[in-house]
Amino acid sequence: MKTRYFTIGSDRDEAQIEEAAAILRRGGLLAIPTETVYGLGANGLDEDAVRRIFEAKGRPQDNPLILHIPSADWLARYCEDVPETAYRLAAAFWPGPLTMILRRKPCVPLRTTGGLDTVGMRCPDHAVTRAIIARAGVPVAAPSANVSGRPSCTTAAHVRADMDGKIDGVVDGGGCAVGVESTIIDLSCTPPRLLRPGGLPLERLEAVLGEVALDKAVTQSLSDGEKPRAPGMKYRHYAPRAPVTVVTGTSAESARWLRAHVPDGAGLILFDECAPLFPDCVVRRIGSYRDKAAQARCVFDALRSFDDTDVAEIYAQCPDDAGLGLAVGNRLKKAAGFRTADACDGCRVVGFTGCTGAGKTTLLRAFAARGALIFDCDAYYYELLRTDEALRRDIDAAFPGVLRGGTLDRALLGRLVFGDRERLAALDAVVRRHLPRAVVRAIADSGAALVGVDAIKLFESGLSAICDTTVAVTAPEGVRVRRIMARDGITAQAALARVRAQKPQEAFVAACDLHFDNNFASRDEADAAARDFIGSII
Ligand code: TXA
Ligand code: MG
């Protein structure tokens, strides 16, 4: 079969919408964009059309399909005794990523509902798709458009990869805005039960419904013979070819765990902040650890993309359960067959950074006084340059000549990278490859529960990603100049030149979670302020 590809600009593109709707009316298969994932649609009242959906996907017959409708006005056509709550939810969240399970009317074939007396109903937030359904005049049964078991499709290219030649048409609606499937709420029982977390966060449902029960299949793998309420939740799903392990814990905890455990060449699904920490792995970023909407948009593409690589194993960082995190984590865990590693190490790592002369030492002293183990990363780096063969080899390869007769010429290396962006980047890359691993190993070996990481290049080195909290320390230029003169016994001019050669202090403040401005009249005042600051963060 030759698959037709439609690009329909808006819901006013009448001729194209009619052509797409005609495919549905005559019993054909049409992939449709929605805000969640692409669906593989057919007339949900036409048993033959529905049978073809199951065939094209290779989907088990007992796994029911969701009916897509253009508005809540259509609910009563296909559902018996629609409860008032359904209309309330529709008013609050439709069109949008919510599927409601309601009692089915006899006009909805059992083939569509996998033999169940209930049917899933959803009104997608995609104007073109709603226009096509309205024009077709039939409810559209649409599972996700992936081949059964594969990650869902969030672009038309994903659909092409799975369905080209097997279906009549694909409507290209661009990338899906939400990226994970709809949240499924069962309203045929009391209290309402969450069957699948999805694009509408549980908290928002609870705000309308009050109590919501959580189906076991949402968070756990079911044992043999156990039946989930959503039949689809029992199947292996979303899985790339290589086995997946989901690493739970905070972003910093999982970053430390991964840096300590994964071999070079592994496939990694990472928050953006952690990507620089793994230059020797095959990394897919899914957005900032703070940005769950980005994670939802990216997670399926990330899972899919490993099938074009030869990675032998995949590890994924996992968001917490709040908001969209529940859905993102659920998809990752399902892709992993619920194989997880708990990265919680009971250790709190705080990174301190700032320009020379800013007065980091004051804070570090206060932190050490609370029992923290302090890593001076510059000193540690120079020690590694003397002792770590792999690091020395990489430095020698990147900067031939700096390693002479076994000793590193630090002054020469300094001159080489000073003011030369490219060389500086090359040095940072070498440091990133070696320093964080060594620091993570040393932290683990120390058994310390509280660790301070002191590094001017906290971010460039990748070390920021293993820190639970980052602190920028600043001080006015004049104060820094005086401190450097006193510390290093140099002239004001030389100290000023050094201050001006560094990156602006605002960059540190912008990059860090917290800010300590070390600008006090006396040493005692500074110490007291540092003690208070440290007290407030631990
Ligand atoms: O966002 C979505 O919901 C996407 C887009 C295309 O709308 N569709 C989607 O469909 O994810 P599908 O078939 O891949 O997943 C539907 C899930 C399955 O786990 C199925 O078992 C469950 O919903 N389901 C459907 N009807 C049900 C019913 N009557 N009772 C319980 N679970 C049901
Ligand atoms: Mg699916």
Side-chain angles (χ1 to χ4, degrees):
M1 173 186 300
K2 182 150 172 47
T3 302
R4 249 204 86 179
Y5 288 83
F6 297 89
T7 309
I8 305 180
S10 84
D11 55 340
R12 269 171 240 186
D13 204 337
E14 300 285 334
Q16 294 250 73
I17 283 173
E18 172 50 34
E19 271 189 66
I23 292 179
L24 294 171
R25 273 198 307 266
R26 65 166 181 265
L29 298 187
L30 181 73
I32 47 173
T34 82
E35 80 283 26
T36 58
V37 300
Y38 276 77
L40 180 54
N43 177 356
L45 304 181
D46 175 343
E47 292 208 37
D48 286 331
V50 168
R51 186 174 39 76
R52 282 193 283 274
I53 293 181
F54 284 93
E55 284 167 5
K57 271 182 70 88
R59 178 172 174 120
Q61 299 285 338
D62 69 345
N63 194 356
L65 308 179
I66 295 171
L67 285 187
H68 295 67
I69 53 177
S71 83
D73 300 343
W74 285 30
L75 273 178
R77 296 190 195 174
Y78 311 111
C79 304
E80 208 83 75
D81 310 323
V82 179
E84 181 267 334
T85 11
Y87 289 107
R88 251 194 309 141
L89 288 176
F93 303 121
W94 276 6
L98 175 68
T99 296
M100 301 186 230
I101 305 295
L102 297 164
R103 290 190 46 216
R104 155 189 84 89
K105 273 197 171 155
C107 63
V108 179
L110 286 169
R111 192 179 282 285
T112 301
T113 67
L116 297 176
D117 264 337
T118 53
V119 59
M121 302 297 298
R122 158 157 150 77
C123 174
D125 189 9
H126 197 291
V128 169
T129 286
R130 280 201 311 279
I132 293 170
I133 299 170
R135 177 65 71 98
V138 294
V140 171
S144 50
N146 52 287
V147 165
S148 209
R150 293 203 78 202
S152 302
C153 300
T154 51
T155 66
H158 294 162
V159 180
R160 184 192 283 267
D162 279 20
M163 291 295 156
D164 192 49
K166 292 199 254 179
I167 62 177
D168 300 274
V170 176
V171 179
D172 185 342
C176 296
V178 174
V180 289
E181 301 91 337
S182 60
T183 300
I184 303 181
I185 185 87
D186 188 347
L187 296 180
S188 73
C189 54
T190 335
R193 179 177 287 262
L194 183 81
L195 303 188
R196 177 176 75 181
L200 182 73
L202 174 60
E203 295 88 336
R204 298 197 51 204
L205 269 180
E206 285 169 335
V208 174
L209 292 175
E211 189 193 355
V212 173
L214 273 201
D215 201 61
K216 191 178 165 199
V218 170
T219 50
Q220 290 169 41
S221 119
L222 298 173
S223 42
D224 285 348
E226 240 177 322
K227 260 197 181 165
R229 302 271 188 120
M233 292 296 270
K234 71 173 173 264
Y235 294 106
R236 181 179 147 92
H237 213 165
Y238 311 126
R241 265 186 285 113
V244 180
T245 302
V246 173
V247 186
T248 59
T250 64
S251 169
E253 283 171 336
S254 52
R256 294 198 287 273
W257 188 95
L258 288 164
R259 194 54 288 178
H261 289 87
V262 302
D264 286 353
L268 297 181
I269 294 179
L270 298 177
F271 302 130
D272 288 355
E273 292 83 356
C274 302
L277 204 53
F278 298 92
D280 300 309
C281 291
V282 180
V283 171
R284 299 290 181 262
R285 301 160 159 241
I286 56 168
S288 165
Y289 73 91
R290 293 188 174 94
D291 188 352
K292 287 172 176 165
Q295 296 161 25
R297 274 195 306 274
C298 298
V299 65
F300 284 131
D301 186 61
L303 284 166
R304 255 175 193 268
S305 72
F306 286 111
D307 284 351
D308 303 327
T309 72
D310 54 8
V311 300
E313 48 186 336
I314 299 166
Y315 295 83
Q317 288 189 292
C318 187
D320 64 54
D321 283 347
L324 284 174
L326 187 65
V328 175
N330 168 271
R331 303 307 188 267
L332 288 171
K333 286 172 190 164
K334 292 205 68 175
F338 285 88
R339 184 157 78 158
T340 58
D342 180 6
C344 181
D345 55 6
C347 181
R348 174 87 188 278
V349 181
V350 181
F352 296 88
T353 190
C355 298
T356 28
K360 273 185 292 156
T361 317
T362 315
L363 264 192
L364 291 164
R365 257 202 321 269
F367 199 36
R370 298 293 292 260
L373 174 75
I374 307 293
F375 271 94
D376 175 343
C377 289
D378 287 346
Y380 194 62
Y381 163 61
Y382 288 121
E383 185 190 323
L384 289 177
L385 281 180
R386 279 193 296 107
T387 56
D388 187 313
E389 273 318 310
L391 170 62
R392 288 157 63 90
R393 256 199 319 275
D394 277 5
I395 294 266
D396 195 40
F399 303 97
V402 294
L403 199 61
R404 242 183 265 136
T407 41
L408 182 96
D409 188 341
R410 273 172 56 176
L412 175 60
L413 182 60
R415 278 200 302 281
L416 281 175
V417 300
F418 188 80
D420 185 326
R421 268 164 177 258
E422 239 166 71
R423 284 187 177 149
L424 198 57
L427 181 60
D428 284 344
V430 175
V431 172
R432 264 203 308 275
R433 205 170 305 141
H434 296 278
L435 187 64
R437 288 178 207 248
V439 171
V440 163
R441 207 178 309 130
I443 290 175
D445 289 348
S446 76
L450 206 52
V451 172
V453 168
D454 167 14
I456 291 190
K457 292 197 159 197
L458 188 67
F459 290 87
E460 296 84 340
S461 64
L463 283 166
S464 54
I466 65 153
C467 296
D468 299 283
T469 311
T470 52
V471 180
V473 184
T474 59
E477 190 174 83
V479 175
R480 288 171 56 204
V481 166
R482 280 198 302 281
R483 282 192 191 132
I484 295 171
M485 287 167 65
R487 189 188 64 198
D488 298 348
I490 56 176
T491 65
Q493 217 180 356
L496 189 62
R498 231 192 261 176
V499 165
R500 296 258 162 99
Q502 295 204 316
K503 71 178 185 191
Q505 301 200 92
E506 300 79 65
F508 291 93
V509 176
C512 288
D513 303 318
L514 302 172
H515 177 201
F516 182 76
D517 191 33
N518 191 347
N519 179 22
F520 299 95
S522 73
R523 173 84 176 259
D524 282 351
E525 258 180 80
D527 283 337
R531 273 196 303 275
D532 285 352
F533 184 88
I534 293 296
S536 75
I537 66 170
I538 61 176

